[in-house]
Amino acid sequence: MTKESFNQLKIDDKTDSPVVSFARIEQIGIDKFDAVFVPGGHAPLGDLVANPQLGEFLRHFNAQKKPTGLVCHGPVALLSALPNAAQFEVAMKSGKNAKPAEGWVYEGYRMTTFSNSEEAVATQYYLGGDELYYWPQDALTKAGGDYSRGEKDWHPHIVVDRELITGQNNKSSTGVALALLKQLDQ
């Protein structure tokens, strides 16, 4: 991102930035928001899986049938809506048999995320052999998601199930954004 683009988007403007914290969302009121979007990268694995505020927001958006878009590693953030998100995450990280508590609002939803085969390539060639504690595909499947993947790795694959819009990898970003906009127009 160029400095000009950064300034035009007002990313660091204290009053007009489109980027807000979870605490600020609570102050504004979750009802004032029309959609959720969670980007990819490894940050959702470290910061969002067991985040109780995000879990509350996702359950709210699910109940209100408001569009929720997530792409690449971002769909793993859906686990924050598990009633036992923190315990599930600990079990996944330790390699123990992670068991989701009953009541996950996304159980049985069709969804996608970065595939295990894409993760294997990324680990070997892009991460220098550094491994994640667990892979998103495994976690969402164990939690009760109905996982699907595209026929070819590194190609766009978007899954829409009710208000939930997920994209398999970074190549799916545009498709997720378009599906999110389409739901907002309805």
Tab-separated table of all heavy atoms in Angstrom, residues 95-153:
chain	number	residue	atom	x	y	z
A	95	GLY	N	-2.519	-30.963	20.152
A	95	GLY	CA	-2.638	-32.185	19.372
A	95	GLY	C	-3.578	-33.210	19.982
A	95	GLY	O	-3.674	-34.335	19.522
A	96	LYS	N	-4.269	-32.795	21.050
A	96	LYS	CA	-5.234	-33.694	21.675
A	96	LYS	C	-6.513	-33.705	20.850
A	96	LYS	O	-6.709	-32.886	19.967
A	96	LYS	CB	-5.528	-33.243	23.108
A	96	LYS	CG	-4.318	-33.359	24.013
A	96	LYS	CD	-4.658	-32.941	25.409
A	96	LYS	CE	-3.398	-33.056	26.274
A	96	LYS	NZ	-3.575	-32.465	27.579
A	97	ASN	N	-7.392	-34.620	21.169
A	97	ASN	CA	-8.645	-34.742	20.442
A	97	ASN	C	-9.568	-33.581	20.806
A	97	ASN	O	-10.235	-33.604	21.830
A	97	ASN	CB	-9.313	-36.091	20.751
A	97	ASN	CG	-10.485	-36.350	19.828
A	97	ASN	OD1	-10.647	-35.690	18.813
A	97	ASN	ND2	-11.300	-37.315	20.182
A	98	ALA	N	-9.576	-32.560	19.986
A	98	ALA	CA	-10.412	-31.382	20.226
A	98	ALA	C	-11.872	-31.740	19.992
A	98	ALA	O	-12.219	-32.296	18.958
A	98	ALA	CB	-9.989	-30.253	19.309
A	99	LYS	N	-12.703	-31.422	20.971
A	99	LYS	CA	-14.136	-31.694	20.852
A	99	LYS	C	-14.897	-30.390	21.028
A	99	LYS	O	-14.762	-29.728	22.051
A	99	LYS	CB	-14.581	-32.692	21.911
A	99	LYS	CG	-13.937	-34.044	21.719
A	99	LYS	CD	-14.806	-35.126	22.262
A	99	LYS	CE	-14.045	-36.423	22.126
A	99	LYS	NZ	-14.692	-37.414	21.428
A	100	PRO	N	-15.693	-30.031	20.035
A	100	PRO	CA	-16.476	-28.810	20.174
A	100	PRO	C	-17.661	-29.033	21.113
A	100	PRO	O	-18.234	-30.118	21.157
A	100	PRO	CB	-16.966	-28.540	18.757
A	100	PRO	CG	-17.051	-29.902	18.137
A	100	PRO	CD	-15.915	-30.693	18.754
A	101	ALA	N	-18.008	-28.006	21.864
A	101	ALA	CA	-19.217	-28.074	22.681
A	101	ALA	C	-20.418	-27.940	21.751
A	101	ALA	O	-20.327	-27.391	20.653
A	101	ALA	CB	-19.215	-26.949	23.713
A	102	GLU	N	-21.541	-28.456	22.188
A	102	GLU	CA	-22.765	-28.308	21.396
A	102	GLU	C	-23.161	-26.840	21.341
A	102	GLU	O	-22.934	-26.082	22.279
A	102	GLU	CB	-23.893	-29.127	22.019
A	102	GLU	CG	-23.717	-30.615	21.821
A	102	GLU	CD	-24.924	-31.405	22.294
A	102	GLU	OE1	-26.055	-30.892	22.185
A	102	GLU	OE2	-24.712	-32.524	22.763
A	103	GLY	N	-23.739	-26.461	20.216
A	103	GLY	CA	-24.257	-25.112	20.107
A	103	GLY	C	-23.453	-24.173	19.227
A	103	GLY	O	-23.687	-22.970	19.233
A	104	TRP	N	-22.494	-24.702	18.424
A	104	TRP	CA	-21.771	-23.829	17.502
A	104	TRP	C	-22.732	-23.411	16.401
A	104	TRP	O	-23.316	-24.257	15.718
A	104	TRP	CB	-20.563	-24.564	16.924
A	104	TRP	CG	-19.637	-23.726	16.098
A	104	TRP	CD1	-19.241	-22.448	16.349
A	104	TRP	CD2	-18.971	-24.117	14.894
A	104	TRP	NE1	-18.360	-22.018	15.387
A	104	TRP	CE2	-18.179	-23.035	14.477
A	104	TRP	CE3	-18.958	-25.282	14.140
A	104	TRP	CZ2	-17.388	-23.066	13.335
A	104	TRP	CZ3	-18.162	-25.322	13.011
A	104	TRP	CH2	-17.389	-24.225	12.619
A	105	VAL	N	-22.919	-22.128	16.212
A	105	VAL	CA	-23.901	-21.634	15.246
A	105	VAL	C	-23.554	-21.990	13.801
A	105	VAL	O	-24.438	-21.963	12.944
A	105	VAL	CB	-24.122	-20.111	15.384
A	105	VAL	CG1	-24.723	-19.776	16.744
A	105	VAL	CG2	-22.848	-19.324	15.150
A	106	TYR	N	-22.314	-22.350	13.539
A	106	TYR	CA	-21.903	-22.694	12.178
A	106	TYR	C	-21.802	-24.201	11.941
A	106	TYR	O	-21.361	-24.623	10.862
A	106	TYR	CB	-20.574	-22.016	11.835
A	106	TYR	CG	-20.676	-20.511	11.904
A	106	TYR	CD1	-20.085	-19.800	12.948
A	106	TYR	CD2	-21.394	-19.802	10.950
A	106	TYR	CE1	-20.200	-18.424	13.027
A	106	TYR	CE2	-21.519	-18.427	11.026
A	106	TYR	CZ	-20.921	-17.747	12.067
A	106	TYR	OH	-21.045	-16.383	12.141
A	107	GLU	N	-22.213	-24.994	12.907
A	107	GLU	CA	-22.172	-26.452	12.723
A	107	GLU	C	-23.017	-26.833	11.517
A	107	GLU	O	-24.158	-26.395	11.386
A	107	GLU	CB	-22.690	-27.166	13.964
A	107	GLU	CG	-22.603	-28.675	13.835
A	107	GLU	CD	-23.041	-29.414	15.092
A	107	GLU	OE1	-23.402	-28.759	16.080
A	107	GLU	OE2	-23.016	-30.649	15.061
A	108	GLY	N	-22.431	-27.624	10.631
A	108	GLY	CA	-23.128	-28.089	9.441
A	108	GLY	C	-23.127	-27.102	8.286
A	108	GLY	O	-23.555	-27.449	7.185
A	109	TYR	N	-22.651	-25.890	8.500
A	109	TYR	CA	-22.549	-24.931	7.396
A	109	TYR	C	-21.494	-25.417	6.413
A	109	TYR	O	-20.459	-25.946	6.806
A	109	TYR	CB	-22.102	-23.559	7.907
A	109	TYR	CG	-23.197	-22.613	8.301
A	109	TYR	CD1	-24.038	-22.882	9.366
A	109	TYR	CD2	-23.365	-21.402	7.624
A	109	TYR	CE1	-25.017	-21.997	9.751
A	109	TYR	CE2	-24.342	-20.496	8.005
A	109	TYR	CZ	-25.167	-20.793	9.061
A	109	TYR	OH	-26.139	-19.911	9.445
A	110	ARG	N	-21.763	-25.214	5.131
A	110	ARG	CA	-20.748	-25.447	4.117
A	110	ARG	C	-19.760	-24.290	4.195
A	110	ARG	O	-20.159	-23.126	4.324
A	110	ARG	CB	-21.373	-25.537	2.729
A	110	ARG	CG	-22.193	-26.800	2.533
A	110	ARG	CD	-22.859	-26.881	1.160
A	110	ARG	NE	-23.812	-25.789	0.964
A	110	ARG	CZ	-23.640	-24.755	0.132
A	110	ARG	NH1	-22.567	-24.664	-0.623
A	110	ARG	NH2	-24.547	-23.804	0.029
A	111	MET	N	-18.468	-24.596	4.151
A	111	MET	CA	-17.434	-23.571	4.268
A	111	MET	C	-16.132	-24.055	3.675
A	111	MET	O	-15.955	-25.249	3.426
A	111	MET	CB	-17.237	-23.179	5.729
A	111	MET	CG	-16.771	-24.319	6.631
A	111	MET	SD	-16.622	-23.881	8.385
A	111	MET	CE	-18.295	-23.528	8.853
A	112	THR	N	-15.235	-23.121	3.484
A	112	THR	CA	-13.895	-23.454	3.030
A	112	THR	C	-12.888	-22.593	3.783
A	112	THR	O	-13.258	-21.631	4.457
A	112	THR	CB	-13.743	-23.269	1.503
A	112	THR	OG1	-12.522	-23.858	1.070
A	112	THR	CG2	-13.816	-21.813	1.090
A	113	THR	N	-11.648	-22.945	3.687
A	113	THR	CA	-10.524	-22.196	4.243
A	113	THR	C	-9.274	-22.705	3.535
A	113	THR	O	-9.342	-23.632	2.721
A	113	THR	CB	-10.431	-22.368	5.782
A	113	THR	OG1	-9.484	-21.435	6.307
A	113	THR	CG2	-10.037	-23.774	6.177
A	114	PHE	N	-8.151	-22.131	3.850
A	114	PHE	CA	-6.879	-22.566	3.277
A	114	PHE	C	-6.768	-24.077	3.468
A	114	PHE	O	-6.885	-24.576	4.583
A	114	PHE	CB	-5.747	-21.839	3.999
A	114	PHE	CG	-4.486	-21.688	3.217
A	114	PHE	CD1	-4.447	-20.941	2.051
A	114	PHE	CD2	-3.308	-22.264	3.671
A	114	PHE	CE1	-3.260	-20.773	1.339
A	114	PHE	CE2	-2.118	-22.103	2.972
A	114	PHE	CZ	-2.097	-21.362	1.804
A	115	SER	N	-6.564	-24.807	2.373
A	115	SER	CA	-6.573	-26.271	2.434
A	115	SER	C	-5.289	-26.823	3.055
A	115	SER	O	-4.249	-26.169	3.054
A	115	SER	CB	-6.757	-26.856	1.036
A	115	SER	OG	-5.593	-26.645	0.252
A	116	ASN	N	-5.384	-28.041	3.552
A	116	ASN	CA	-4.193	-28.695	4.108
A	116	ASN	C	-3.097	-28.839	3.062
A	116	ASN	O	-1.912	-28.678	3.369
A	116	ASN	CB	-4.552	-30.066	4.687
A	116	ASN	CG	-5.287	-29.965	6.006
A	116	ASN	OD1	-5.414	-28.893	6.592
A	116	ASN	ND2	-5.787	-31.095	6.484
A	117	SER	N	-3.477	-29.131	1.822
A	117	SER	CA	-2.454	-29.287	0.785
A	117	SER	C	-1.788	-27.947	0.466
A	117	SER	O	-0.574	-27.899	0.219
A	117	SER	CB	-3.041	-29.937	-0.469
A	117	SER	OG	-4.167	-29.229	-0.927
A	118	GLU	N	-2.527	-26.861	0.503
A	118	GLU	CA	-1.921	-25.542	0.305
A	118	GLU	C	-1.017	-25.204	1.498
A	118	GLU	O	0.066	-24.633	1.335
A	118	GLU	CB	-3.000	-24.467	0.147
A	118	GLU	CG	-3.726	-24.556	-1.174
A	118	GLU	CD	-4.981	-23.718	-1.246
A	118	GLU	OE1	-5.728	-23.651	-0.241
A	118	GLU	OE2	-5.222	-23.131	-2.318
A	119	GLU	N	-1.472	-25.565	2.698
A	119	GLU	CA	-0.679	-25.304	3.904
A	119	GLU	C	0.633	-26.077	3.863
A	119	GLU	O	1.674	-25.559	4.267
A	119	GLU	CB	-1.481	-25.688	5.154
A	119	GLU	CG	-0.971	-25.066	6.417
A	119	GLU	CD	-1.193	-23.567	6.489
A	119	GLU	OE1	-2.341	-23.136	6.598
A	119	GLU	OE2	-0.186	-22.824	6.436
A	120	ALA	N	0.610	-27.298	3.360
A	120	ALA	CA	1.836	-28.102	3.265
A	120	ALA	C	2.850	-27.428	2.339
A	120	ALA	O	4.042	-27.357	2.660
A	120	ALA	CB	1.512	-29.513	2.772
A	121	VAL	N	2.383	-26.916	1.215
A	121	VAL	CA	3.272	-26.220	0.279
A	121	VAL	C	3.777	-24.929	0.916
A	121	VAL	O	4.973	-24.622	0.854
A	121	VAL	CB	2.544	-25.928	-1.058
A	121	VAL	CG1	3.364	-25.004	-1.941
A	121	VAL	CG2	2.236	-27.229	-1.784
A	122	ALA	N	2.884	-24.169	1.526
A	122	ALA	CA	3.288	-22.906	2.158
A	122	ALA	C	4.310	-23.149	3.260
A	122	ALA	O	5.289	-22.403	3.386
A	122	ALA	CB	2.060	-22.192	2.720
A	123	THR	N	4.099	-24.194	4.046
A	123	THR	CA	5.029	-24.507	5.133
A	123	THR	C	6.417	-24.825	4.581
A	123	THR	O	7.422	-24.335	5.077
A	123	THR	CB	4.501	-25.699	5.963
A	123	THR	OG1	3.265	-25.318	6.556
A	123	THR	CG2	5.484	-26.098	7.051
A	124	GLN	N	6.450	-25.622	3.531
A	124	GLN	CA	7.732	-26.042	2.969
A	124	GLN	C	8.450	-24.918	2.230
A	124	GLN	O	9.652	-24.723	2.416
A	124	GLN	CB	7.519	-27.224	2.020
A	124	GLN	CG	8.812	-27.748	1.428
A	124	GLN	CD	8.579	-28.962	0.542
A	124	GLN	OE1	7.461	-29.401	0.347
A	124	GLN	NE2	9.652	-29.492	-0.005
A	125	TYR	N	7.718	-24.162	1.414
A	125	TYR	CA	8.387	-23.218	0.525
A	125	TYR	C	8.356	-21.758	0.971
A	125	TYR	O	9.214	-20.983	0.590
A	125	TYR	CB	7.804	-23.323	-0.888
A	125	TYR	CG	8.082	-24.663	-1.503
A	125	TYR	CD1	7.083	-25.613	-1.619
A	125	TYR	CD2	9.359	-24.986	-1.957
A	125	TYR	CE1	7.342	-26.854	-2.175
A	125	TYR	CE2	9.632	-26.220	-2.511
A	125	TYR	CZ	8.611	-27.149	-2.623
A	125	TYR	OH	8.877	-28.381	-3.165
A	126	TYR	N	7.356	-21.381	1.750
A	126	TYR	CA	7.225	-19.965	2.111
A	126	TYR	C	7.528	-19.686	3.567
A	126	TYR	O	7.876	-18.570	3.924
A	126	TYR	CB	5.820	-19.449	1.770
A	126	TYR	CG	5.458	-19.644	0.318
A	126	TYR	CD1	4.443	-20.513	-0.056
A	126	TYR	CD2	6.145	-18.972	-0.689
A	126	TYR	CE1	4.117	-20.711	-1.384
A	126	TYR	CE2	5.833	-19.162	-2.020
A	126	TYR	CZ	4.817	-20.028	-2.369
A	126	TYR	OH	4.508	-20.216	-3.685
A	127	LEU	N	7.358	-20.666	4.407
A	127	LEU	CA	7.571	-20.450	5.838
A	127	LEU	C	8.881	-21.058	6.327
A	127	LEU	O	9.135	-21.095	7.524
A	127	LEU	CB	6.401	-21.026	6.647
A	127	LEU	CG	5.018	-20.442	6.333
A	127	LEU	CD1	3.945	-21.150	7.145
A	127	LEU	CD2	5.000	-18.951	6.588
A	128	GLY	N	9.661	-21.575	5.426
A	128	GLY	CA	10.948	-22.145	5.795
A	128	GLY	C	10.839	-23.325	6.739
A	128	GLY	O	11.720	-23.572	7.544
A	129	GLY	N	9.760	-24.072	6.653
A	129	GLY	CA	9.570	-25.242	7.501
A	129	GLY	C	8.888	-24.959	8.821
A	129	GLY	O	8.549	-25.877	9.553
A	130	ASP	N	8.679	-23.666	9.154
A	130	ASP	CA	7.947	-23.351	10.390
A	130	ASP	C	6.510	-23.839	10.255
A	130	ASP	O	5.858	-23.588	9.253
A	130	ASP	CB	7.948	-21.838	10.644
A	130	ASP	CG	9.294	-21.331	11.100
A	130	ASP	OD1	10.137	-22.149	11.499
A	130	ASP	OD2	9.495	-20.105	11.052
A	131	GLU	N	6.053	-24.529	11.259
A	131	GLU	CA	4.709	-25.109	11.214
A	131	GLU	C	3.756	-24.371	12.135
A	131	GLU	O	4.148	-23.868	13.182
A	131	GLU	CB	4.762	-26.586	11.636
A	131	GLU	CG	5.571	-27.430	10.699
A	131	GLU	CD	4.782	-28.589	10.131
A	131	GLU	OE1	3.591	-28.729	10.433
A	131	GLU	OE2	5.385	-29.345	9.381
A	132	LEU	N	2.523	-24.320	11.752
A	132	LEU	CA	1.460	-23.796	12.610
A	132	LEU	C	1.129	-24.854	13.654
A	132	LEU	O	1.386	-26.046	13.451
A	132	LEU	CB	0.211	-23.487	11.780
A	132	LEU	CG	0.372	-22.453	10.677
A	132	LEU	CD1	-0.905	-22.372	9.846
A	132	LEU	CD2	0.703	-21.098	11.262
A	133	TYR	N	0.512	-24.432	14.747
A	133	TYR	CA	0.097	-25.409	15.767
A	133	TYR	C	-0.939	-26.383	15.202
A	133	TYR	O	-0.977	-27.549	15.570
A	133	TYR	CB	-0.513	-24.703	16.979
A	133	TYR	CG	0.489	-23.988	17.838
A	133	TYR	CD1	0.515	-22.607	17.891
A	133	TYR	CD2	1.415	-24.702	18.592
A	133	TYR	CE1	1.428	-21.945	18.693
A	133	TYR	CE2	2.335	-24.062	19.388
A	133	TYR	CZ	2.340	-22.682	19.443
A	133	TYR	OH	3.250	-22.035	20.224
A	134	TYR	N	-1.792	-25.881	14.346
A	134	TYR	CA	-2.806	-26.711	13.691
A	134	TYR	C	-3.218	-26.004	12.410
A	134	TYR	O	-2.959	-24.811	12.231
A	134	TYR	CB	-4.015	-26.963	14.604
A	134	TYR	CG	-4.698	-25.698	15.056
A	134	TYR	CD1	-5.729	-25.140	14.321
A	134	TYR	CD2	-4.314	-25.048	16.225
A	134	TYR	CE1	-6.343	-23.969	14.725
A	134	TYR	CE2	-4.928	-23.886	16.639
A	134	TYR	CZ	-5.944	-23.353	15.877
A	134	TYR	OH	-6.546	-22.188	16.278
A	135	TRP	N	-3.846	-26.741	11.537
A	135	TRP	CA	-4.242	-26.179	10.252
A	135	TRP	C	-5.736	-25.878	10.243
A	135	TRP	O	-6.544	-26.643	10.799
A	135	TRP	CB	-3.855	-27.132	9.130
A	135	TRP	CG	-2.360	-27.218	8.932
A	135	TRP	CD1	-1.399	-26.468	9.564
A	135	TRP	CD2	-1.666	-28.072	8.047
A	135	TRP	NE1	-0.155	-26.811	9.121
A	135	TRP	CE2	-0.276	-27.803	8.180
A	135	TRP	CE3	-2.052	-29.044	7.153
A	135	TRP	CZ2	0.697	-28.447	7.449
A	135	TRP	CZ3	-1.083	-29.700	6.421
A	135	TRP	CH2	0.277	-29.413	6.563
A	136	PRO	N	-6.125	-24.763	9.633
A	136	PRO	CA	-7.525	-24.329	9.647
A	136	PRO	C	-8.511	-25.375	9.128
A	136	PRO	O	-9.586	-25.545	9.707
A	136	PRO	CB	-7.517	-23.086	8.755
A	136	PRO	CG	-6.138	-22.543	8.884
A	136	PRO	CD	-5.250	-23.760	9.003
A	137	GLN	N	-8.167	-26.071	8.047
A	137	GLN	CA	-9.075	-27.081	7.502
A	137	GLN	C	-9.403	-28.128	8.567
A	137	GLN	O	-10.566	-28.498	8.757
A	137	GLN	CB	-8.461	-27.762	6.279
A	137	GLN	CG	-9.326	-28.881	5.723
A	137	GLN	CD	-8.675	-29.616	4.562
A	137	GLN	OE1	-7.801	-29.097	3.870
A	137	GLN	NE2	-9.116	-30.856	4.346
A	138	ASP	N	-8.378	-28.605	9.275
A	138	ASP	CA	-8.600	-29.614	10.316
A	138	ASP	C	-9.467	-29.068	11.449
A	138	ASP	O	-10.381	-29.746	11.922
A	138	ASP	CB	-7.260	-30.088	10.894
A	138	ASP	CG	-6.430	-30.853	9.885
A	138	ASP	OD1	-6.991	-31.417	8.923
A	138	ASP	OD2	-5.190	-30.880	10.059
A	139	ALA	N	-9.189	-27.840	11.868
A	139	ALA	CA	-9.926	-27.255	12.994
A	139	ALA	C	-11.402	-27.052	12.656
A	139	ALA	O	-12.282	-27.405	13.452
A	139	ALA	CB	-9.291	-25.935	13.413
A	140	LEU	N	-11.689	-26.511	11.479
A	140	LEU	CA	-13.088	-26.269	11.111
A	140	LEU	C	-13.852	-27.578	10.914
A	140	LEU	O	-15.022	-27.678	11.270
A	140	LEU	CB	-13.165	-25.399	9.858
A	140	LEU	CG	-12.735	-23.949	10.067
A	140	LEU	CD1	-12.643	-23.215	8.739
A	140	LEU	CD2	-13.682	-23.224	11.010
A	141	THR	N	-13.174	-28.569	10.380
A	141	THR	CA	-13.810	-29.881	10.202
A	141	THR	C	-14.111	-30.511	11.557
A	141	THR	O	-15.214	-31.014	11.780
A	141	THR	CB	-12.903	-30.798	9.352
A	141	THR	OG1	-12.680	-30.173	8.083
A	141	THR	CG2	-13.541	-32.148	9.137
A	142	LYS	N	-13.145	-30.479	12.481
A	142	LYS	CA	-13.372	-31.045	13.820
A	142	LYS	C	-14.471	-30.316	14.569
A	142	LYS	O	-15.189	-30.910	15.367
A	142	LYS	CB	-12.085	-31.016	14.646
A	142	LYS	CG	-11.098	-32.067	14.234
A	142	LYS	CD	-9.885	-32.086	15.130
A	142	LYS	CE	-8.911	-33.114	14.577
A	142	LYS	NZ	-7.986	-33.615	15.526
A	143	ALA	N	-14.613	-29.029	14.308
A	143	ALA	CA	-15.641	-28.239	14.988
A	143	ALA	C	-17.041	-28.549	14.460
A	143	ALA	O	-18.030	-28.259	15.128
A	143	ALA	CB	-15.354	-26.755	14.841
A	144	GLY	N	-17.124	-29.132	13.260
A	144	GLY	CA	-18.432	-29.477	12.708
A	144	GLY	C	-18.790	-28.753	11.431
A	144	GLY	O	-19.918	-28.837	10.956
A	145	GLY	N	-17.814	-28.045	10.837
A	145	GLY	CA	-18.065	-27.396	9.555
A	145	GLY	C	-18.050	-28.420	8.428
A	145	GLY	O	-17.356	-29.432	8.501
A	146	ASP	N	-18.826	-28.163	7.388
A	146	ASP	CA	-18.885	-29.025	6.202
A	146	ASP	C	-17.894	-28.450	5.185
A	146	ASP	O	-18.245	-27.618	4.363
A	146	ASP	CB	-20.305	-29.044	5.653
A	146	ASP	CG	-20.470	-29.943	4.445
A	146	ASP	OD1	-19.514	-30.669	4.074
A	146	ASP	OD2	-21.571	-29.914	3.851
A	147	TYR	N	-16.642	-28.892	5.295
A	147	TYR	CA	-15.540	-28.322	4.525
A	147	TYR	C	-15.565	-28.774	3.072
A	147	TYR	O	-15.819	-29.938	2.770
A	147	TYR	CB	-14.188	-28.717	5.151
A	147	TYR	CG	-13.018	-28.179	4.380
A	147	TYR	CD1	-12.614	-26.862	4.545
A	147	TYR	CD2	-12.352	-28.966	3.451
A	147	TYR	CE1	-11.553	-26.347	3.812
A	147	TYR	CE2	-11.287	-28.460	2.716
A	147	TYR	CZ	-10.901	-27.152	2.903
A	147	TYR	OH	-9.865	-26.633	2.171
A	148	SER	N	-15.267	-27.828	2.175
A	148	SER	CA	-15.049	-28.185	0.770
A	148	SER	C	-13.847	-27.409	0.269
A	148	SER	O	-13.480	-26.377	0.828
A	148	SER	CB	-16.280	-27.871	-0.085
A	148	SER	OG	-16.390	-26.492	-0.338
A	149	ARG	N	-13.246	-27.929	-0.775
A	149	ARG	CA	-12.097	-27.253	-1.376
A	149	ARG	C	-12.257	-27.285	-2.879
A	149	ARG	O	-12.995	-28.112	-3.429
A	149	ARG	CB	-10.787	-27.917	-0.951
A	149	ARG	CG	-10.670	-29.372	-1.321
A	149	ARG	CD	-9.360	-29.968	-0.889
A	149	ARG	NE	-8.273	-29.210	-1.439
A	149	ARG	CZ	-7.512	-29.601	-2.455
A	149	ARG	NH1	-7.698	-30.782	-2.991
A	149	ARG	NH2	-6.565	-28.838	-2.920
A	150	GLY	N	-11.557	-26.379	-3.541
A	150	GLY	CA	-11.596	-26.340	-4.995
A	150	GLY	C	-10.878	-27.530	-5.600
A	150	GLY	O	-10.115	-28.227	-4.933
A	151	GLU	N	-11.123	-27.744	-6.870
A	151	GLU	CA	-10.475	-28.855	-7.566
A	151	GLU	C	-8.970	-28.670	-7.646
A	151	GLU	O	-8.216	-29.635	-7.637
A	151	GLU	CB	-11.055	-28.999	-8.977
A	151	GLU	CG	-12.473	-29.524	-8.983
A	151	GLU	CD	-12.997	-29.717	-10.404
A	151	GLU	OE1	-12.184	-29.924	-11.332
A	151	GLU	OE2	-14.225	-29.659	-10.562
A	152	LYS	N	-8.516	-27.410	-7.729
A	152	LYS	CA	-7.084	-27.117	-7.830
A	152	LYS	C	-6.692	-26.171	-6.702
A	152	LYS	O	-7.397	-25.206	-6.416
A	152	LYS	CB	-6.758	-26.440	-9.159
A	152	LYS	CG	-6.937	-27.307	-10.366
A	152	LYS	CD	-6.530	-26.528	-11.605
A	152	LYS	CE	-6.643	-27.382	-12.848
A	152	LYS	NZ	-6.252	-26.618	-14.046
A	153	ASP	N	-5.553	-26.445	-6.089
A	153	ASP	CA	-5.003	-25.522	-5.100
A	153	ASP	C	-4.620	-24.214	-5.778
A	153	ASP	O	-4.331	-24.176	-6.972
A	153	ASP	CB	-3.763	-26.129	-4.438
A	153	ASP	CG	-4.114	-27.213	-3.430
A	153	ASP	OD1	-5.284	-27.321	-3.037
A	153	ASP	OD2	-3.190	-27.955	-3.030
